[in-house]
Amino acid sequence: MRIFDPHIHMTSRTTDDYEAMYAAGVRAVVEPAFWLGQPRTSPASFFDYFDALLGWEPFRAAQYGIAHHCTIALNPKEANDPRCTPVLDDLPRYLVKDGVVAVGEIGYDSMTPAEDHALAVQLQLAAEHGLPAMVHTPHRDKLTGLRRTIDVVRESALATDRVLLDHLNETTVREAKDSGAWLGFSVYPDTKMDEDRMVAILDEYGPEKVLVNSAADWGKSDPLKTRKVADAMLKAGFDEDAVDLVLWRNPVAFYGLSGRLDLDPTAPEALHEGNSILRGGE
Amino acid sequence: MIPRAELDARLGGAARAWLDEALAEAAHTAERPVTGYGTAPWELRFASAGRHLGADAVDEARVLLLRTARVDAPTATRIYQQGTAAERRAVLLALPDLGLDAAAGVPLVEDALRANDTRLVAAAVGPYAAAHLDPHAWRHAVLKCLFTGVSVDAVASLRERAHGDAELARMLGDYAKERTAAARPVPDDLHRVLALTGAEES
């Protein structure tokens, strides 16, 4: 089984996770730029983070046989902090890089005017750079947030079928599907979706344009949730082709819209005992 | 540097044409440097070369772009500092051809040698490092290769610089003792470099 986790924050995870993910079948990941838990206080802090998503993290992933790409953006939460918003001016120099396969995560957190502005600007940037956009839907007041998101996408220069609406659930899937966007579901231990509810949604709405992710980060989360959904799908009677569609071909098709997806992980030059992951020694 | 014909042989027709245009833009910038605001078009090509040319040709193509654009020290430094790991690697590989003095080039080499990304370490220990690193920094670069598993084949002028270097021999001997004390194998490359210093293995 081959698995593509289209949303996982590997910067916050350990090499044990990479090892377990590879063993579970994960061969490719996309890491969206997001909030670090601790608020940033300047654009420079974003630049170091973006550089890590284009430097050290793909190197780490490659050492475990996993292809790593990223999405770049000012996230919705920090779009509200005037100390951070100047990062918008520097996004274009990142959006041309190989390895950047979408603008994201963008979207709404508290649905403020500052978030409206950041979302509209970044959808425009996606259109200008030939990139799709990964748009997360808010945790609070989700359905209202989804509707407002779809309105802003429709007003933007980016076609709706180049947008992935993420963190969907039972209350938002119908309207998201009707919009023509790609449909993302984050499967979490306690919050967001779980495996069985995910299977029920796939049953009702079909696997077309559906992406399932672990969204694993620094909070309570599980980087193997993609595999667990695949197993739950098989147990519920989906065939292997449907599993492959949801866990591999759909994410490849969506991020492939960038023309920048390279699924051969860079051949690790030092996958042996002197492994540099071991902090330059042991 | 590999000849252009050899590079072309690794590329399809569309990629060759793309590289021709990119090099023409770089040559244009070399003649008429961009002033004021805006990014030179060849720099956008430099950033996007991976997806247009593929992994087999991208290092060489990026080096060729840097040479053709005749980048000066501030530009090379900016491109390195704002680059992905792959772009940084290209700047390091191009250093011997860019005519940068030690004040400009050595900080880039030192930055790469602080990294644990073996692609950067391997690119940092080329001819520019051999020519410009002081003995202390150069010895640490050799040791870093042994620690991170970068083959010392990547170290330019290894034979010449290692020859008669008693301090390097001491460092290698101490590292071998540390490995042995931990019941871990001593890398084959360590014996190779130690032999080049002319010191006897203890």
Side-chain angles (χ1 to χ4, degrees):
Chain A
M1 186 186 296
R2 54 182 184 172
I3 294 173
F4 187 135
D5 193 333
H7 180 163
I8 183 164
H9 301 283
M10 291 311 300
T11 305
S12 306
R13 310 298 308 192
T14 64
T15 52
D16 284 358
D17 288 334
Y18 271 125
E19 217 164 58
M21 287 161 65
Y22 185 87
V26 177
R27 295 292 180 273
V29 297
V30 166
E31 175 155 9
F34 199 57
W35 188 52
L36 286 178
Q38 176 72 28
R40 297 179 179 88
T41 59
S42 75
S45 177
F46 282 87
F47 301 151
D48 291 337
Y49 175 67
F50 296 158
D51 289 345
L53 296 183
L54 292 161
W56 181 236
E57 204 55 46
F59 176 76
R60 276 196 343 137
Q63 298 226 315
Y64 292 88
I66 294 176
H68 180 290
H69 296 81
C70 69
T71 77
I72 294 286
L74 170 62
N75 63 76
K77 206 183 278 270
E78 289 175 312
N80 292 300
D81 188 333
R83 294 174 302 177
C84 297
T85 47
V87 79
L88 288 171
D89 299 334
D90 277 81
L91 289 181
R93 74 175 165 90
Y94 284 98
L95 298 182
V96 300
K97 305 288 193 192
D98 292 330
V100 177
V101 290
V103 170
E105 296 178 52
I106 51 177
Y108 285 115
D109 182 53
S110 302
M111 288 184 270
T112 64
E115 292 171 26
D116 283 330
H117 174 72
L119 177 55
V121 165
Q122 293 184 100
L123 287 169
Q124 179 65 31
L125 284 174
E128 287 169 6
H129 288 84
L131 290 170
M134 200 270 225
V135 185
H136 107 160
T137 52
H139 303 295
R140 303 176 301 278
D141 203 7
K142 203 178 220 7
L143 186 56
T144 309
L146 176 85
R147 288 172 179 160
R148 188 149 152 188
T149 302
I150 292 171
D151 286 345
V152 176
V153 168
R154 286 201 176 118
E155 286 166 17
S156 78
L158 191 67
T160 309
D161 62 3
R162 293 177 69 83
V163 169
L164 168 63
L165 296 170
D166 206 356
H167 302 330
L168 297 175
N169 61 23
E170 292 86 349
T171 66
T172 50
V173 56
R174 169 48 64 198
E175 291 188 33
K177 188 176 172 75
D178 289 347
S179 77
W182 295 75
L183 311 173
F185 296 87
S186 301
V187 182
Y188 253 40
D190 295 330
T191 60
K192 301 192 172 81
M193 293 293 294
D194 67 30
E195 294 91 314
D196 294 333
R197 288 165 52 210
M198 189 63 239
V199 168
I201 283 184
L202 285 164
D203 230 5
E204 187 171 349
Y205 296 91
E208 289 75 28
K209 295 181 90 168
V210 170
L211 285 71
V212 170
N213 62 72
S214 72
D217 57 11
W218 32 254
K220 186 174 182 192
S221 49
D222 176 359
L224 304 183
K225 280 295 188 192
T226 46
R227 174 58 193 254
K228 289 170 185 170
V229 167
D231 290 341
M233 283 177 73
L234 291 172
K235 200 172 155 201
F238 283 93
D239 61 15
E240 286 181 8
D241 187 67
V243 171
D244 191 64
L245 179 64
V246 172
L247 276 307
W248 186 264
R249 299 199 309 271
N250 282 345
V252 168
F254 175 71
Y255 288 117
L257 293 170
S258 69
R260 306 185 196 178
L261 206 54
D262 176 7
L263 293 172
D264 278 335
T266 311
E269 285 163 34
L271 236 191
H272 56 71
E273 208 226 349
N275 191 327
S276 68
I277 292 286
L278 305 174
R279 301 188 180 280
E282 269 102 311
Chain B
M1 271 305 293
I2 63 165
R4 176 71 204 273
E6 196 182 313
L7 181 55
D8 280 350
R10 298 184 202 170
L11 299 170
R16 274 202 299 277
W18 186 92
L19 181 57
D20 281 339
E21 288 169 24
L23 288 167
E25 288 169 4
H28 182 83
T29 298
E31 297 302 321
R32 281 175 287 275
V34 175
T35 52
Y37 296 102
T39 306
W42 79 269
E43 288 193 36
L44 295 174
R45 302 269 190 173
F46 180 83
S48 61
R51 57 190 180 269
H52 291 285
L53 304 180
D56 283 348
V58 69
D59 273 353
E60 287 81 359
R62 283 193 170 123
V63 170
L64 201 51
L65 281 168
L66 291 165
R67 284 166 39 128
T68 306
R70 297 206 295 267
V71 293
D72 58 13
T75 306
T77 301
R78 174 176 53 76
I79 289 176
Y80 178 89
Q81 289 176 344
Q82 297 187 348
T84 62
E87 293 167 42
R88 291 179 188 204
R89 180 177 158 85
V91 174
L92 295 165
L93 292 172
L95 279 180
D97 305 322
L98 298 181
L100 268 54
D101 63 21
V106 167
L108 306 185
V109 171
E110 289 174 338
D111 179 87
L113 288 171
R114 284 192 294 271
N116 276 6
D117 185 330
T118 48
R119 296 167 303 175
L120 294 177
V121 173
V125 292
Y128 190 87
H132 295 288
L133 284 188
D134 68 33
H136 179 82
W138 186 80
R139 290 175 193 129
H140 272 272
V142 173
L143 227 57
K144 178 100 184 198
C145 288
L146 297 176
F147 269 74
T148 55
V150 170
S151 165
V152 293
D153 289 339
V155 181
S157 305
L158 178 65
R159 178 175 300 275
E160 295 77 8
R161 285 207 64 162
H163 182 71
D165 188 337
E167 176 62 4
L168 178 62
R170 182 203 57 80
M171 290 164 77
L172 295 169
D174 285 355
Y175 181 38
K177 278 185 207 145
E178 193 182 328
R179 298 282 305 177
T180 307
R184 292 179 180 135
V186 176
D188 290 342
D189 269 2
L190 188 148
H191 302 296
R192 271 180 65 196
V193 182
L194 194 56
L196 291 175
T197 66
E200 300 283 325
E201 293 228 19
S202 55

